[in-house]
Amino acid sequence: NLILRAFFRKFPRIAKRKRMITVLLTVITTLFILFLIMLFIIPQLTESLMSLMNKIPGYATEINNMLTGIANKYTFIADFINNTQVNVNEILNASGQFLSVALPTIADFTFGVTNSIVNTFVGFIFAIYFLYYKEKLVAMICNLLYAFTATKFAKKVIDFFKEANIAFSRFIGGQITEALILGVLCFF
């Protein structure tokens, strides 16, 4: 964990004595970063939606003018529209069919959102647990590995996961750095 390691380096006395403080600082820092991201994204998204909503009447007028121009140019289209009768029962039947298809989709979407929220909450709890007991969990896994496999194989597996940890940590750190640079360039 990049943030946790940064707090360990910055405050070594606190980290050794109070692991929970460093885990709490990591969680607060992560939530703060997410809050800052949302602070920039939500206003931009709102501005884009408001701009689109303000332009829709103009687009509707343009489409209406275009269709009127086409109808005036090609009179057979205007005759077809005038001669076509609209049946209210057909419209109601079509609406009922649409709702019978749309309501299960809306329910599935609602359940999906709820499931995502619950999964995020459970994942957050697991993340705190793993951060707090990280060294104990790693030691237990290493003991299990040495107990049930050959020593040479266990060392290779441990070395592999150490290298993978280093590679992924550097990759994620690089991605965060790149995202910060791009964010600063785009917003300022």
Side-chain angles (χ1 to χ4, degrees), residues 93-109:
N93 287 337
S95 299
Q97 290 174 352
F98 171 75
L99 287 177
S100 67
V101 171
L103 287 178
T105 305
I106 292 171
D108 287 343
F109 175 76

Side-chain angles (χ1 to χ4, degrees), residues 102-172:
L103 287 178
T105 305
I106 292 171
D108 287 343
F109 175 76
T110 304
F111 289 134
V113 168
T114 305
N115 190 24
S116 296
I117 292 170
V118 169
N119 285 343
T120 302
F121 179 72
V122 170
F124 190 70
I125 297 300
F126 272 103
I128 291 172
Y129 176 77
F130 285 138
L131 283 173
Y132 190 71
Y133 292 110
K134 182 176 70 170
E135 282 80 17
K136 289 180 183 179
L137 290 171
V138 169
M140 287 172 33
I141 291 171
C142 287
N143 288 339
L144 283 173
L145 198 59
Y146 281 117
F148 292 109
T149 62
T151 305
K152 186 176 180 181
F153 178 76
K155 285 182 182 179
K156 285 183 181 180
V157 170
I158 291 170
D159 288 341
F160 171 77
F161 281 108
K162 282 181 182 178
E163 289 294 322
N165 181 39
I166 292 168
F168 282 115
S169 295
R170 288 179 181 167
F171 174 76
I172 291 171

Side-chain angles (χ1 to χ4, degrees), residues 12-177:
R13 283 187 286 152
I14 293 174
K16 289 178 183 174
R17 293 187 187 151
K18 304 289 184 186
R19 180 158 185 83
M20 189 56 157
I21 292 174
T22 57
V23 170
L24 184 65
L25 286 174
T26 301
V27 169
I28 289 172
T29 304
T30 304
L31 291 176
F32 181 70
I33 290 170
L34 289 174
F35 172 74
L36 287 178
I37 290 170
M38 290 299 147
L39 189 68
F40 288 114
I41 290 175
I42 290 175
Q44 185 66 32
L45 184 63
T46 305
E47 182 182 320
S48 297
L49 288 175
M50 293 302 290
S51 173
L52 180 64
M53 288 173 57
N54 289 336
K55 291 180 181 179
I56 285 177
Y59 295 151
T61 304
E62 287 180 28
I63 290 172
N64 189 24
N65 291 340
M66 182 184 71
L67 292 177
T68 304
I70 291 172
N72 290 337
K73 187 174 181 180
Y74 303 104
T75 57
F76 67 90
I77 294 175
D79 292 337
F80 175 75
I81 293 172
N82 291 333
N83 292 333
T84 305
Q85 295 179 356
V86 177
N87 189 347
V88 175
N89 288 331
E90 289 179 19
I91 293 174
L92 290 175
N93 287 337
S95 299
Q97 290 174 352
F98 171 75
L99 287 177
S100 67
V101 171
L103 287 178
T105 305
I106 292 171
D108 287 343
F109 175 76
T110 304
F111 289 134
V113 168
T114 305
N115 190 24
S116 296
I117 292 170
V118 169
N119 285 343
T120 302
F121 179 72
V122 170
F124 190 70
I125 297 300
F126 272 103
I128 291 172
Y129 176 77
F130 285 138
L131 283 173
Y132 190 71
Y133 292 110
K134 182 176 70 170
E135 282 80 17
K136 289 180 183 179
L137 290 171
V138 169
M140 287 172 33
I141 291 171
C142 287
N143 288 339
L144 283 173
L145 198 59
Y146 281 117
F148 292 109
T149 62
T151 305
K152 186 176 180 181
F153 178 76
K155 285 182 182 179
K156 285 183 181 180
V157 170
I158 291 170
D159 288 341
F160 171 77
F161 281 108
K162 282 181 182 178
E163 289 294 322
N165 181 39
I166 292 168
F168 282 115
S169 295
R170 288 179 181 167
F171 174 76
I172 291 171
Q175 292 295 310
I176 290 171
T177 304

